[in-house]
Amino acid sequence: MQPSRDISRLIEIMAALRDPDDGCPWDLEQDFSTIRHYTIEEAYEVADAIERQDFHDLKEELGDLLLQPVFHAQMAKEAGHFDIGDVVYAITEKLIRRHPHVFGEVTADSAAGAQVNWEAIKTQERAAKAARRGDEVTSVLNDVPQVLPALARAEKLTKKAAKVGFDWPDFASVMAKVEEEVAEVAEAQQAGDKAAVHEEIGDLLFAVANLARHAGVDAEAALRDANAKFTRRFHYVEGRSREDGIEPKDAGLDRLDGYWNEIRAADKAK
């Protein structure tokens, strides 16, 4: 079998890997649950390639991500649930349905107008999905996935709630809430109540995610950037310590903090 630019070859390869007689033992052992985390990881690796502006890696990572729905669909086909054609039909039908201003008679002259149409259609879809599941009451929060990273999910929950008017009026109000949560963390810590500290830190993180939304900042991306900055600066600290002939673990906080202040000052001078 040869590689191809045609997606049908990818589907053929996946079917061959899952062939009960001649397939790959590892692929045959997998099920929806065992490859679920690979699906999530591949999405993150795509995001990482985009953030690094590495388009060679992006091509590779998009391929890895594309494999995931093909893999899931192959297992679903084997179980008699659906196949990749059903997946493609479902998304094409959804895109057409959610863009009546492109494929229908509805008018939308701006991105804001298109978003209004999109949200109205999603409300109808949410109600239909609740009816299919037998839910008596629909919620705007129902379609926020549980598996999202906690910070991203917090931001999305507050965004959904805001759409029905449940929101702080302005940035200053959210900032005040963050300060209130900081004080409550300190109070719980002073009381020695570990359960309360756990709860209050959760409330603080949730409030910060809300603050990011009000500032127009992607909280998850901002934290990833902060992680990257910390990693880069700490690598500098480790390197400077070894330049001075001492292992970081033996350097002491004052020396390490001095190195940290060096790289901070260099960053600010840029």
Side-chain angles (χ1 to χ4, degrees):
M1 188 174 290
Q2 297 296 317
S4 170
R5 295 175 59 88
D6 191 330
I7 195 171
S8 63
R9 179 54 50 85
L10 176 59
I11 297 168
E12 290 172 3
I13 291 171
M14 192 68 251
L17 292 173
R18 292 279 299 181
D19 184 275
D21 298 321
D22 302 315
C24 169
W26 185 88
D27 289 281
L28 285 166
E29 284 184 355
Q30 306 313 307
D31 59 30
F32 296 108
S33 296
T34 61
I35 69 166
R36 177 182 57 185
H37 70 281
Y38 293 115
T39 307
I40 296 169
E41 286 175 8
E42 296 301 349
Y44 276 117
E45 290 179 9
V46 166
D48 178 66
I50 292 170
E51 289 175 4
R52 291 184 287 106
Q53 293 289 286
D54 187 329
F55 292 101
H56 181 274
D57 276 6
L58 179 58
K59 177 187 68 175
E60 298 292 331
E61 298 302 345
L62 284 170
D64 292 344
L65 182 59
L66 179 60
L67 173 62
Q68 295 303 307
V70 172
F71 202 151
H72 283 285
Q74 176 61 33
M75 293 187 295
K77 180 180 179 181
E78 294 165 5
H81 299 311
F82 57 83
D83 64 15
I84 192 66
D86 296 316
V87 174
V88 174
Y89 181 89
I91 187 57
T92 54
E93 189 276 334
K94 180 186 290 185
L95 287 171
I96 293 167
R97 173 166 32 89
R98 288 188 177 180
H99 293 82
H101 50 287
V102 176
F103 304 110
E105 303 301 323
V106 176
T107 300
D109 298 325
S110 65
Q115 186 68 24
V116 169
N117 290 338
W118 181 279
E119 291 300 332
I121 293 167
K122 285 192 70 176
T123 299
Q124 296 170 3
E125 292 173 353
R126 195 179 296 118
K129 184 179 289 187
R132 177 172 57 83
R133 292 175 175 174
D135 298 338
E136 294 183 2
V137 180
T138 63
S139 169
V140 296
L141 305 182
N142 284 352
D143 57 354
V144 181
Q146 292 279 354
V147 297
L148 282 176
L151 194 63
R153 188 164 191 266
E155 189 174 358
K156 194 158 188 176
L157 287 169
T158 63
K159 182 179 179 180
K160 292 286 187 179
K163 289 185 183 298
V164 297
F166 190 73
D167 196 12
W168 296 100
D170 50 40
F171 183 86
S173 301
V174 190
M175 192 71 209
K177 181 62 177 175
V178 170
E179 292 168 353
E180 175 189 321
E181 296 298 349
V182 170
E184 291 180 0
V185 169
E187 182 181 338
Q189 177 68 17
Q190 187 173 10
D193 188 336
K194 289 187 177 181
V197 171
H198 174 98
E199 181 178 351
E200 296 302 343
I201 287 178
D203 290 347
L204 173 60
L205 291 170
F206 192 89
V208 169
N210 206 4
L211 183 71
R213 179 178 61 82
H214 272 262
V217 170
D218 181 330
E220 191 73 24
L223 184 56
R224 285 199 304 272
D225 289 345
N227 289 340
K229 179 169 66 175
F230 177 86
T231 300
R232 176 176 54 79
R233 287 180 174 179
F234 193 74
H235 285 166
Y236 174 88
V237 168
E238 291 174 314
R240 284 286 289 111
S241 181
R242 289 174 180 132
E243 283 177 11
D244 287 347
I246 186 168
E247 283 299 310
K249 65 183 180 63
D250 301 320
L253 179 58
D254 288 344
R255 183 188 292 266
L256 296 176
D257 201 39
Y259 298 144
W260 181 269
N261 288 332
E262 288 176 9
I263 187 61
R264 279 192 67 205
D267 285 347
K268 290 182 182 297
K270 290 179 181 178

